Amino acid sequence: MTTSPRWRSVLTPAALAAALAAAALTSAGTAGAQNHTTPPPHPAKPAHPAHTATPAQPAHPVKPGHPGSPAKPAHPGKPATPHYPAKPAHPGKPAYPVHPAKPAHPVKPDYPVKPAHPVKPDYPAKPVHPAKPDYPAKPVKPAIPAKPELPSKPVLPEKPAHPAKPALPAKPELPAKPALPAKPALPEKPVKPALPAKPELPAKPALPAKPELPAKPAYPVKPALPEKPALPAKPALPAKPELPAKPALPTKPELPAKPALPAKPALPEKPSLPAKPALPSKPELPAKPALPAKPAMPSKPELPSKPALPAKPELPAKPALPSKPELPSKPALPTKPELPAKPQLPSKPAIPTKPELPSKPAIPTKPELPSKPAIPSKPELPSKPAIPTKPELPSKPAIPTKPELPSKPAIPTKPELPSKPAIPSKPELPSKPAIPSKPELPSKPSIPSKPELPSKPELPSKPSMPSKPDHPKHEKEKDW
């Protein structure tokens, strides 16, 4: 509920009485409307089949012991928040001016009477169409022969029962966790008194001047490197001699003609599963002629020896660099705490061997299908008779033009409403005080890792339950 002056000025005793009367009427109408329709009786549920006995489930193994976590440090208390200054009072809105009585609208003039439409002439009667001739009868298709019956499938032997799985070993017990220390009680919050006026902030004090930094030591001056001597000019290389022309390759000799292959024997007719006849032996191919020897390539001329390059002058010795300061030794790292010993996991039971499945019986061969009769050729259809031409329709008479409507009178203008007063501006709110920063929480010790749990045994599969029957009345009752 609000306490603004706008809520008090808008609601009046007459408006409150009208709202209460409308709420009573709507509640009485809705309450009476609920008793008009009563749902039909619910049909009886169908008989449910009895539940089958579920196999016994193996007991869950006991979890191993968990190492205890170290104690947590005490939580520091929060600082008290400062009080906010009081907000200034909001000025009330001015009252709206009393609306003057609206002037009466002028009476609209009567519309003139519309003239009556002329009577349309009657259309002439359409001529009767001639009757179409009958289509010739279609030829009868021959009957399809019946398919032979398929052989029955053989009965498969029953599978042997699987052996029962052994029970899993018990898990080791976890050690009890230590009790956490009790948290300190929060201080009682003081009752907020009336906020005083915000005092003026003191002037910011002048900061002290920054101290002068000590002068950095001067680095030693690097000695100047001596100038490198100029290298002597390289002598020009002699011109390379031209290579001799490549000799032409000899022509390839012609290969002898291959002998003709013997004629293949006629293949016998294919029985159900005949053995393949032995293939005739391949004729021996003649030996390939030896290729002629390649001619020897001419020897390349010897290149002239390169002139010796002059010796490089020796570079002057570099000046020695100043010695680097020794690095400080690293501090020794603290020793790590010993981790708790992990509990030994129990050994897993051996998996039983699966029984061998019996061999499947041979599938019988399907009987040969009878040959289909030849489909007779379709008889030629007789030519359709020519459709008689339709008679021409008579021309429609011309529709007379409608008379023009009279012009409407102009609507008079409405009077102007008075302008609303301007809303006063709100005063600025005082700035909130800065909230002090919270103290940092102490770092929590690391929790030791939990031991690995053994895997759960697989549960036997439950038998499938029969589904409830569908009934059309069940769906209709959802929409009540």
Side-chain angles (χ1 to χ4, degrees), residues 132-158:
K132 290 184 179 180
D134 295 334
Y135 286 99
K138 293 182 179 179
V140 181
K141 292 183 179 179
I144 298 171
K147 289 184 179 179
E149 295 182 358
L150 297 175
S152 59
K153 290 183 178 179
V155 181
L156 297 176
E158 295 181 357

Side-chain angles (χ1 to χ4, degrees), residues 15-80:
L16 284 172
L20 291 173
L25 286 175
T26 53
S27 63
T30 53
Q34 292 178 358
N35 297 329
H36 291 333
T37 58
T38 55
H42 192 77
K45 292 183 178 180
H48 199 278
H51 291 282
T52 57
T54 55
Q57 298 179 359
H60 286 280
V62 184
K63 293 183 179 179
H66 192 279
S69 56
K72 295 181 181 179
H75 199 284
K78 293 183 180 179

